[in-house]
Amino acid sequence: MKIPARTRSSLNRHLFDDAQVPDALRHLLVDISRAAKYISYAIQTTEAGLAGAVNQFGEEQQKLDVLSDDIVREFLCENHLVSTYVSEEQKEVIELEANAPYSVVFDPLDGSSLIEANFAIGSIFGVYEGNTVLGRKPKEQVGALYVLYGPRTVLVYTTGKGVHMFILNDVGEFILLEENMGVADDAKNYSPGNLRALDENPGYRKAMDRWLTEHMTLRYSGCMVADIHHILSKGQGVFTNVGGSKYPEGKLRLPFECGPFAFLMEQAGGTATDGTQPIMEKTIQSVDQRTPLIIGSKNEVERIVAMMQ
Ligand code: AHM
Ligand code: MG
């Protein structure tokens, strides 16, 4: 009997047939996507409110932060593929199974302060081979993905063969929506984080002045997953979160926020830097390491870096 032609592509099938990743990595990425389905459901059904706990950075955790962290943990424990993980919600590296092949970094619910406003929020993941992410560089990641919980839930992944987007359908499967997402060299949109830094960072003010003078389009939601997804889906743009004032190194963390997005952005043809070196080349020294981030369309990133020097 002839096998029917392929009519739709699930995440699992895409990882198998197109990305052709090793089975263990495919199982791990599919399990991460299963966790994200539960988070998506939790967002829709959990009452927003404070959990009464603080995370490692002294920030108030919301119920959904805690819940999302627990959900991801459950799935990472289940498959015996994860040696250690680093989560935004945990102070230290968490050890699961010493001889398992992968280590995972994640922010289970990025932008959680926006929950009550019903803005889009997301989850971010990076996967490394081996039993530690400390001392490693984001360029060593073998997979990175994010899930954006907006009006629709979408998942975007790379394993080093382009960037691909899937949509969560009504029966709970991630189905291919767009293959090989690309980011053009020039930007029309800008997404400027940590504007508190303008006073102490004259180069950043120059960049801001130019964005305004050139009538570029402002798109900033306060959730980096949504803001960087905007760049990937529109095929151009720039997102910044640079140092100064309240956050000398910028607000965002290298292991589980900037690292995975740097891998995705480079795979889409864009770039990501801290202003002096590529994010992909930075060594992860601690779980809470922050880094300035300028990410998106290559020419625009270069122009901003030049202004800040
Ligand atoms: P979170 O991980 O505690 O949610 O914080 C990270 C978020 C990013 O998604 C976003 O880009 C940034 O914080 C926004 O910061 P600000 O509120 O200073 O604009
Ligand atoms: Mg975050």
Side-chain angles (χ1 to χ4, degrees):
M1 196 181 90
K2 217 174 155 199
I3 298 170
R6 182 166 157 176
T7 53
R8 68 168 202 4
S9 194
S10 65
L11 176 64
N12 186 50
R13 190 165 183 177
H14 201 268
L15 287 163
F16 196 99
D17 288 345
D18 299 276
Q20 298 182 348
V21 297
D23 281 348
L25 180 58
R26 178 169 57 84
H27 287 304
L28 175 55
L29 294 174
V30 167
D31 279 348
I32 289 172
S33 79
R34 290 170 64 211
K37 293 175 199 177
Y38 280 81
I39 296 172
S40 178
Y41 180 73
I43 292 166
Q44 289 166 38
T45 54
T46 305
E47 273 183 44
L50 299 178
V54 284
N55 74 6
Q56 55 174 317
F57 307 109
E59 298 157 333
E60 275 181 332
Q61 282 185 342
Q62 303 221 325
K63 271 182 190 164
L64 281 166
D65 286 314
V66 183
L67 191 57
S68 303
D69 194 47
D70 290 348
I71 290 169
V72 176
R73 183 193 165 86
E74 286 277 315
F75 280 90
L76 296 186
C77 289
E78 187 181 299
N79 56 34
H80 307 290
L81 291 169
V82 180
S83 167
T84 66
Y85 74 81
V86 166
S87 161
E88 178 178 313
E89 299 301 330
Q90 305 294 334
K91 286 192 184 69
E92 291 164 3
V93 176
I94 307 292
E95 292 172 8
L96 293 183
E97 294 189 41
N99 296 322
Y102 296 106
S103 290
V104 179
V105 290
F106 61 93
D107 182 348
L109 204 56
D110 183 66
S112 52
S113 67
L114 300 171
I115 290 166
E116 279 159 6
N118 200 21
F119 273 32
I121 50 182
S123 304
I124 312 165
F125 300 87
V127 179
Y128 291 78
E129 281 173 343
N131 61 9
T132 182
V133 298
L134 297 179
R136 312 285 294 277
K137 297 178 177 182
K139 71 175 179 189
E140 294 175 60
Q141 288 169 110
V142 291
L145 70 88
Y146 65 85
V147 181
L148 177 65
Y149 315 103
R152 298 164 180 165
T153 293
V154 295
L155 179 154
V156 177
Y157 90 89
T158 188
T159 51
K161 285 188 182 166
V163 179
H164 316 291
M165 173 163 58
F166 296 72
I167 186 163
L168 186 59
N169 72 8
D170 284 346
V171 292
E173 191 162 24
F174 281 107
I175 297 294
L176 183 64
L177 197 58
E178 186 179 341
E179 260 180 323
N180 296 311
M181 300 173 87
V183 170
D185 290 345
D186 292 312
K188 291 181 256 177
N189 297 345
Y190 66 107
S191 189
N194 199 22
L195 287 180
R196 306 166 193 90
L198 287 182
D199 284 343
E200 290 143 53
N201 192 330
Y204 197 30
R205 186 173 284 282
K206 270 197 258 170
M208 186 69 189
D209 286 345
R210 189 178 60 77
W211 288 326
L212 292 169
T213 311
E214 294 188 1
H215 296 175
M216 287 174 62
T217 302
L218 173 68
R219 289 287 180 268
Y220 188 78
S221 74
C223 169
M224 80 178 297
V225 178
D227 291 328
I228 298 181
H229 179 71
H230 191 274
I231 298 174
L232 287 161
S233 62
K234 296 286 179 184
Q236 55 77 23
V238 67
F239 172 93
T240 55
N241 195 302
V242 303
S245 178
K246 189 170 164 190
Y247 302 110
E249 289 294 306
K251 182 179 178 187
L252 303 173
R253 292 75 158 198
L254 177 62
F256 44 77
E257 291 176 324
C258 302
F261 272 116
F263 188 19
L264 286 153
M265 188 56 72
E266 289 205 358
Q267 280 292 312
T271 191
T273 175
D274 68 358
T276 55
Q277 64 173 324
I279 297 294
M280 293 284 267
E281 297 290 341
K282 291 190 75 151
T283 302
I284 299 172
Q285 270 143 1
S286 64
V287 300
D288 59 350
Q289 185 177 347
R290 296 185 197 254
T291 176
L293 176 67
I294 308 162
I295 185 169
S297 294
K298 275 183 185 162
N299 291 345
E300 185 62 24
V301 169
E302 274 172 26
R303 284 168 82 179
I304 297 166
V305 169
M307 282 180 181
M308 301 221 327
Q309 266 158 9

